Structures are given as C-alpha cells and as structure tokens.
Amino acid sequence: MARVQHAKEANKKIQPKDQKGNTQSKGKQELAKTAAKREPSKNEIMFFRLGMSIIALALITVAIIFTVEYFMNKEEEPGVFDDYISITAADLQYLTGYDDNSGVYGDFTYFAGQESYEELFELINTNTEIYIFFYSSSNLNDEVVNAIKEADLEGKAFFIVDLDTEAANLTGANYDHLNLDLERTNLLVTFDVELQEFTIELRVVDIVRELGRI
C-alpha cells in the first residue's frame, strides 16, 4: 500500500509541469498570431514611400540623360554634303535666272555684300562654269556621293540643292530654261556663264562622268 500511495503522489507532482508546458505553448502561439497581425507604422510607410520615390526619380534622371546624349550625338553626326554650299530655289533663281535689266542669265549682284553669301559670291566671280547638283537627301545614290567626294571641287563653283525641301519651289517659269526633271532624285546642271548655256545630266552614269571631268 505504501508503494501505491508513493506512485500517486509522484503522478500528482508531474501534472503541474504538463500544465505549465501547455501554458507556455499557448502563449507562444498567441504571441505569433499577434506578431503576424502587426501592421507597419506610419514612419515605416513614410520611409518606404520615400525610398520608392528616390528610386523612381533616379530612373527618370538616367532616362533623361541617355535621351539627351542620344540626340546630342545624333546632331553632331556630320551630314554627307556638309562640306558643300547648299542653296535654295530662291538662290538658284538669282544664280541662273534671266535678268531683264542686263539681258543675261544670272544676277550675281544679289549676292554681293551679304556675309552669308560671301564664299558663294567669290566662287561665282572666279569661275566661268557653275555646277548645281540636285539630290534627294532621303534617297542618296552611293555612286554619285562617292563621285562627288572623289572629285576635285576645291575652288570650284559647285553648289547643291536638296529636292526634298526645294522641289515644290522649282516648278515656276523662272526655272523652265533649266529643263529640270523633278521626278528624278539626281540631276546635275552646268551653267557656262560666258557662253550663257545650260546643260543637264539626268542619268547617274552621266552625272558620275561629268563629276570626274570637273
């Protein structure tokens, strides 16, 4: 009998430990639930938004820098005919048009004394032949471009007209004597000032040949 009572007393002593363990386990579960449900504070939300704003601003700044650099580099790229004097339809009229007062083709006095035409004026007064090349900047012919680059045009009265921008202005009677075929994208007109004669080359092969003779 003494042994049985001793065993019962031992069991009674063990039971409180189990209850304590259960209590701790329940406490941890409730704490975990409480921690999971905790919402971010106002300061945390503010810092999060601030961080996202800084990142967005940095991305926008980088995009702007790359865009500006792209267009700056694009503008700095030299054009195919940047080394040659470009003229407009109005310039061409004074350069080759018939002057009723003098009775000759070409009113060179229009270009005199104008700073923007200083080089052109010098060239037309030191050459007896004037060359006007008509081209389409959106449809360049590589063979003609290479022929121009290889030609000895230093000191020659060689001028260019972009048909993409000037074709609509070349349809008047003032240009009939040039016999321009505006359906083409490459034309070369030679104006012999002394003989008062105009010749025009329409085919690429003829233009290349004439450029080689200049």
Side-chain angles (χ1 to χ4, degrees), residues 37-49:
K37 292 180 180 179
R38 190 182 74 82
E39 295 182 355
S41 65
K42 291 183 178 180
N43 287 337
E44 290 174 336
I45 294 174
M46 182 182 68
F47 282 118
F48 174 77
R49 290 178 177 175

Side-chain angles (χ1 to χ4, degrees), residues 69-134:
E69 287 184 351
Y70 170 77
F71 283 106
M72 287 182 64
N73 292 334
K74 190 175 182 180
E75 290 177 358
E76 291 174 358
E77 292 180 1
V80 176
F81 296 130
D82 281 357
D83 294 334
Y84 307 97
I85 298 176
S86 179
I87 61 175
T88 65
D91 297 333
L92 184 65
Q93 181 179 342
Y94 287 104
L95 194 63
T96 64
Y98 186 76
D99 183 11
D100 293 327
N101 295 326
S102 62
V104 297
Y105 288 98
D107 180 12
F108 296 170
T109 59
Y110 169 78
F111 304 104
Q114 298 193 53
E115 185 177 352
S116 58
Y117 292 110
E118 185 176 349
E119 185 179 358
L120 181 149
F121 185 67
E122 181 181 354
L123 290 172
I124 60 179
N125 279 284
T126 55
N127 287 276
T128 58
E129 289 186 324
I130 297 174
Y131 304 93
I132 304 104
F133 174 61
F134 300 81

Side-chain angles (χ1 to χ4, degrees), residues 141-207:
N141 183 285
D142 292 337
E143 189 176 357
V144 176
V145 171
N146 291 333
I148 291 174
K149 297 293 184 181
E150 294 173 1
D152 182 16
L153 301 176
E154 184 68 27
K156 305 293 177 61
F158 180 83
F159 311 114
I160 59 175
V161 178
D162 188 353
L163 293 173
D164 286 359
T165 59
E166 299 298 325
N169 302 319
L170 296 171
T171 57
N174 292 326
Y175 309 98
D176 287 346
H177 60 288
L178 298 177
N179 295 317
L180 299 175
D181 183 355
L182 298 177
E183 295 298 321
R184 295 178 177 269
T185 55
N186 293 279
L187 302 166
L188 179 63
V189 171
T190 302
F191 174 26
D192 189 317
V193 180
E194 290 185 345
L195 298 178
Q196 290 284 286
E197 292 180 352
F198 296 91
T199 57
I200 184 169
E201 304 299 341
L202 305 175
R203 300 187 307 167
V204 169
V205 62
D206 296 328
I207 293 173

Side-chain angles (χ1 to χ4, degrees), residues 2-16:
R3 290 181 179 177
V4 174
Q5 289 179 352
H6 182 72
K8 287 182 178 180
E9 289 177 359
N11 290 335
K12 288 180 181 180
K13 291 180 180 180
I14 294 172
Q15 286 178 358

